[in-house]
Amino acid sequence: MHRVLIGLVVIQVLYGLFWALHDISARLGLWPDKLQAIEFVNSLGLVQEILFFSHVVMNGVTLMLVLLRWRLALPVFILSFILDRGEWILMSGNALFANMVAVDAWALFSFTLQGAIFALLLILSFDGSLGPRPVRPIQL
């Protein structure tokens, strides 16, 4: 199950990076439709961008913690999920984005993937496969 979890978290990281590159490429003017890129960037708020990029970073941290088999991966992923859902709530009011992509399909994919990751993190945290890191006693 640990390998399946790693695979799903890798997909989650790549999914986040895909959208981050989409956002960054618009800001750099790399879209074929320059006007649409400018409109897209202007449609994004600062809070939304902070939530989104924080979520992307938390995905990477979650992957690192899963690879290290740390139970801390669970609360970090929960934070990532909350950031992502907050960003999606803000993005749901973005008519330009809704016209550009199939928002419902992407939301369903994302939510299903995150649900599977959450379930595996819970199982592996409570069966002992993910555990706290041993702490060395401080020697004076």
Side-chain angles (χ1 to χ4, degrees), residues 15-59:
Y15 175 78
L17 289 175
F18 169 79
W19 288 111
L21 290 174
H22 186 74
D23 187 303
I24 292 167
S25 67
R27 292 179 182 284
L28 295 175
L30 301 176
W31 287 13
D33 185 342
K34 305 286 188 210
L35 183 58
Q36 187 181 45
I38 292 168
E39 288 176 19
F40 174 71
V41 170
N42 290 336
S43 74
L44 304 174
L46 179 62
V47 171
Q48 179 181 349
E49 290 289 88
I50 290 170
L51 290 173
F52 172 70
F53 283 103
S54 296
H55 155 71
V56 171
V57 169
M58 289 293 102
N59 285 339

Side-chain angles (χ1 to χ4, degrees), residues 49-124:
E49 290 289 88
I50 290 170
L51 290 173
F52 172 70
F53 283 103
S54 296
H55 155 71
V56 171
V57 169
M58 289 293 102
N59 285 339
V61 172
T62 299
L63 178 58
M64 180 190 70
L65 292 171
V66 166
L67 290 171
L68 293 171
R69 293 181 178 265
W70 285 16
R71 190 177 299 149
L72 190 56
L74 178 59
V76 169
F77 185 73
I78 291 170
L79 176 60
S80 171
F81 176 81
I82 291 168
L83 292 167
D84 184 47
R85 292 302 108 192
E87 191 269 337
W88 267 100
I89 289 169
L90 294 174
M91 188 60 107
S92 67
N94 188 325
L96 176 64
F97 184 72
N99 289 330
M100 290 171 35
V101 299
V103 175
D104 292 339
W106 282 110
L108 180 60
F109 170 78
S110 174
F111 196 68
T112 303
L113 178 61
Q114 289 170 328
I117 291 169
F118 181 65
L120 285 172
L121 281 169
L122 278 173
I123 291 166
L124 294 174

